[in-house]
Amino acid sequence: MSATHLRVLLPAAQIHSRIAEMGAEIDRDYAPSEPVYLIGVLKGACIFLADLARAMKTPTRLEFIGISSYGRGKTSSGQVRITKDLDVPVEGHHVILVEDILDTGVTLTYLVKMMAQRKPKTLRVATFLDKPERRQSPVKVDYVGFQIPDEFVVGYGLDYAEDYRNLRDLCVLEQ
Ligand code: IMP
Ligand code: MG
């Protein structure tokens, strides 16, 4: 087995100050009179979603959708499969899809299309990370935490074979 090494790319403090800004950006776009449904894509987005929701003053409802596209490796299978659907209808509500990372764009393309069919009042996308170099399928995102280079990252919710999700910093996994 080759040794693995973690190199910090985004320290926790930098992540938290950016998420505070993102929360303020989102608050400017919505009226406080109606809740915004934050739909977290399991499992990677759960930590980002928890921090983003608390950075917002707009009332939120938290929902989750489970998908599998990556298996245990570092490259996408290119196939998206729903493993857990929403528990509630979102028709007529403001929805923000909350993702950990936008990579090839295959996952979000699929999810945006699927969510649009459920007739939300508005539909936007927030992603913690964006790796623009890897895009295969163009996706319009409304809120981006950080653009990062084409490196495999773990921590702050992101995993490699289910490990490293609880790291506070975002790290590059070097092998
Ligand atoms: P896409 O469909 O290629 O855009 O892939 C998005 C999904 O791939 C994300 O939700 C992640 O689960 C996974 N992914 C892509 N890049 C990374 C990475 O660098 N680290 C961990 N997971 C990643
Ligand atoms: Mg993943």
Side-chain angles (χ1 to χ4, degrees), residues 70 99-101 103-107 131 151-153 158-159:
Y70 255 71
E99 232 319 18
D100 54 357
I101 182 166
D103 186 23
T104 64
V106 171
T107 308
K131 272 190 206 171
E151 293 187 286
F152 196 84
V153 288
L158 289 99
D159 72 306

Side-chain angles (χ1 to χ4, degrees), residues 41-45 67 69-70 73-76 78 80 99-109 129 131 134-137 139 148-155 157-160 165 170-171:
V41 184
L42 292 172
K43 304 170 199 169
I67 52 131
S69 64
Y70 255 71
K74 286 184 181 176
T75 52
S76 175
V80 183
E99 232 319 18
D100 54 357
I101 182 166
L102 173 56
D103 186 23
T104 64
V106 171
T107 308
L108 271 175
T109 299
L129 301 172
K131 272 190 206 171
R134 299 245 313 157
R135 200 79 78 255
Q136 291 168 15
S137 180
V139 183
I148 61 164
D150 180 14
E151 293 187 286
F152 196 84
V153 288
V154 295
L158 289 99
D159 72 306
Y160 175 57
R165 292 193 195 276
L170 184 82
C171 300

Side-chain angles (χ1 to χ4, degrees), residues 2 6-8 15 17 51 66 71 82 86 99 106 111-112 123 131 140 150 153 155 157 162 165 169 174:
S2 57
L6 296 169
R7 169 167 54 87
V8 175
I15 294 172
S17 60
D51 284 342
I82 298 288
L86 297 178
E99 232 319 18
V106 171
L111 287 175
V112 166
L123 176 58
K131 272 190 206 171
K140 180 183 162 291
D150 180 14
V153 288
E162 297 301 327
R165 292 193 195 276
D169 304 318
E174 293 174 332

Side-chain angles (χ1 to χ4, degrees), residues 18 20-30 142-144:
R18 177 65 192 126
E21 291 172 0
M22 291 179 87
E25 266 175 62
I26 295 173
D27 285 340
R28 282 196 291 275
D29 291 344
Y30 293 89
D142 303 278
Y143 310 103
V144 177

